[in-house]
């Protein structure tokens, strides 16, 4: 049974003039192993996307590099024509190589091509939000983003992009982007055990800019903590559900995009994140990443 939109955990947030559910869905896992090639169960992948929308999720995160192209094509097949309430956030700035790596692709011509491919594979005339992916697979890398970000601003002025954001960025790069053009979100690695962006999250909240943690459950090495397990046991919940709820309660500008290729796991994530953590729970969990 579908969950009514109003009951989704965390409520809503505005990405510029776009209202999205704070609990979203990250589509990366819909591609094949290591985010390369088609999924083993194509019908299952399509079912996950349709269930996400059926549950009231209105924020889907993707990238045309996933597959590559596969994930965006699945989104189009499952959900096009899109509901006016549904908003798809994509990212550019990296491509894929034959070994499954993520080499940067931030030259102006590479970014223009990436935006065009996102539009084509998603079946859109305008992309709701485009994040500029910076750094590398190890994390943010200092350096100016001006040339790349200004290219995206040009594409925005041409009507191909509605709103802009940055991903895998340093605090200085976030500030540099904001000095060039408004941004609606920052997408960085952050979770209970990785708290390096605490100050940035609070600063962005004051400016009504969303913070979207990737690897909210730890990524390829899931979060493990005795404190997390203890809180989960008390609440008769899974540790991952508690970790998602902690993020929702950490700050109102945090948007969640946990990914899965399983309908059952998707439902578990949504239902589990309706937990309410007490002050004592939050105090215990707060010690994990400090």
């Amino acid at each position: 049974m579908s969950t009514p939109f109003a009951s989704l955990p965390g409520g809503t947030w505005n990405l510029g003039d776009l209202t999205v559910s704070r609990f979203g869905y990250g589509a990366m896992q819909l591609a094949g192993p290591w985010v390369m090639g088609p999924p083993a169960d194509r019908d299952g992948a399509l079912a996950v996307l349709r269930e996400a929308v059926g549950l009231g999720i209105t924020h889907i995160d993707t990238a045309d590099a996933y597959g590559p192209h596969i994930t965006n094509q699945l989104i189009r097949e499952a959900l096009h024509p899109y509901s006016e309430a549904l908003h798809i956030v994509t990212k550019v700035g990296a491509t894929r190589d034959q070994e499954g790596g993520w080499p940067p692709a931030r030259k102006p011509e590479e970014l223009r091509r990436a935006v065009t491919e996102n539009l084509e594979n998603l079946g859109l005339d305008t992309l709701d939000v485009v994040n500029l992916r910076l750094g590398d697979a190890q994390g943010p890398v200092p350096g100016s983003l001006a040339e790349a970000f200004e290219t995206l601003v040009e594409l925005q002025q041409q009507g191909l992009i509605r709103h802009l954001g940055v991903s895998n960025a340093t605090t200085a790069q976030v500030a540099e982007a904001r000095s060039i053009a408004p941004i609606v979100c920052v997408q960085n690695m952050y979770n209970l055990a990785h708290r390096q962006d605490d100050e940035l999250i609070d600063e962005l909240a004051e400016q009504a800019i969303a913070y979207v943690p990737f690897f909210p459950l730890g990524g390829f090495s899931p979060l493990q903590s005795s404190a997390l397990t203890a809180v989960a046991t008390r609440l008769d919940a899974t540790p991952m559900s508690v970790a998602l709820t902690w993020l929702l309660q950490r700050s109102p500008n945090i948007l969640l995009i946990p990914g899965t290729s399983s309908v059952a796991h998707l439902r578990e994530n949504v239902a589990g994140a309706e937990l309410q953590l007490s002050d004592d729970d939050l105090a215990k969990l707060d010690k994990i990443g400090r």
Side-chain angles (χ1 to χ4, degrees):
M1 180 179 294
S2 295
T3 301
F5 173 71
S7 70
L8 263 186
T12 62
W13 183 265
N14 291 332
L15 295 172
D17 61 347
L18 307 176
T19 300
V20 298
S21 54
R22 284 186 65 206
F23 195 102
Y25 172 72
M28 184 175 75
Q29 293 186 34
L30 294 183
W34 302 105
V35 204
M36 291 289 284
D41 181 2
R42 185 179 186 86
D43 289 342
L46 298 173
V48 169
L49 288 162
R50 291 170 181 146
E51 180 68 9
V53 172
L55 289 169
I57 287 172
T58 64
H59 172 199
I60 293 180
D61 180 82
T62 186
D64 207 57
Y66 298 162
H69 314 308
I70 299 295
T71 297
N72 279 355
Q73 291 167 359
L74 288 168
I75 291 171
R76 181 175 183 172
E77 181 176 347
L79 303 176
H80 195 278
Y82 306 111
S83 161
E84 290 186 5
L86 180 64
H87 300 297
I88 299 172
V89 177
T90 190
K91 64 184 72 64
V92 297
T95 186
R96 305 304 302 278
D97 58 28
Q98 293 300 314
E99 291 72 43
W102 301 81
R106 294 191 285 269
K107 296 177 181 177
E109 62 272 19
E110 293 172 323
L111 294 170
R112 294 187 187 102
R113 181 169 60 250
V115 166
T116 297
E117 289 174 346
N118 272 279
L119 288 166
E120 291 175 349
N121 286 310
L122 288 168
L124 291 168
D125 296 320
T126 302
L127 298 170
D128 281 338
V129 183
V130 173
N131 285 313
L132 174 63
R133 185 185 189 276
L134 300 162
D136 56 29
Q138 280 68 53
V141 175
S144 176
L145 53 66
E147 181 182 42
F149 198 70
E150 286 167 358
T151 300
L152 294 185
V153 172
E154 291 175 8
L155 295 171
Q156 183 184 39
Q157 292 169 344
Q158 294 169 21
L160 301 179
I161 301 171
R162 195 162 184 172
H163 297 295
L164 297 171
V166 291
S167 177
N168 206 28
T170 67
T171 299
Q173 288 166 337
V174 172
E176 184 182 16
R178 294 184 62 200
S179 74
I180 296 170
I183 63 173
V184 298
C185 56
V186 173
Q187 188 179 106
N188 278 0
M189 181 176 178
Y190 181 85
N191 54 50
L192 264 172
H194 296 87
R195 303 281 299 276
Q196 67 284 350
D197 275 353
D198 272 331
E199 291 185 11
L200 177 61
I201 289 171
D202 295 338
E203 177 186 337
L204 294 174
E206 293 176 359
Q207 303 299 321
I209 296 171
Y211 185 93
V212 188
F214 62 76
F215 292 154
L217 300 176
F220 298 110
S221 298
L223 294 171
Q224 295 187 18
S225 160
S226 58
L228 179 59
T229 300
V231 172
T233 299
R234 186 187 72 77
L235 295 171
D236 191 23
T238 67
M240 298 302 96
S241 294
V242 172
L244 291 175
T245 299
W246 178 83
L247 285 166
L248 284 173
Q249 291 186 219
R250 164 64 180 82
S251 182
N253 67 322
I254 288 182
L255 309 183
L256 300 186
I257 51 168
T260 179
S261 58
S262 160
V263 168
H265 188 212
L266 173 67
R267 291 172 180 162
E268 182 181 287
N269 280 345
V270 172
E274 292 186 8
L275 298 170
Q276 192 66 31
L277 302 178
S278 68
D279 289 343
D280 184 56
D281 293 332
L282 292 171
K284 291 176 180 177
L285 296 172
D286 199 50
K287 296 177 181 177
I288 294 173
R290 293 189 181 278

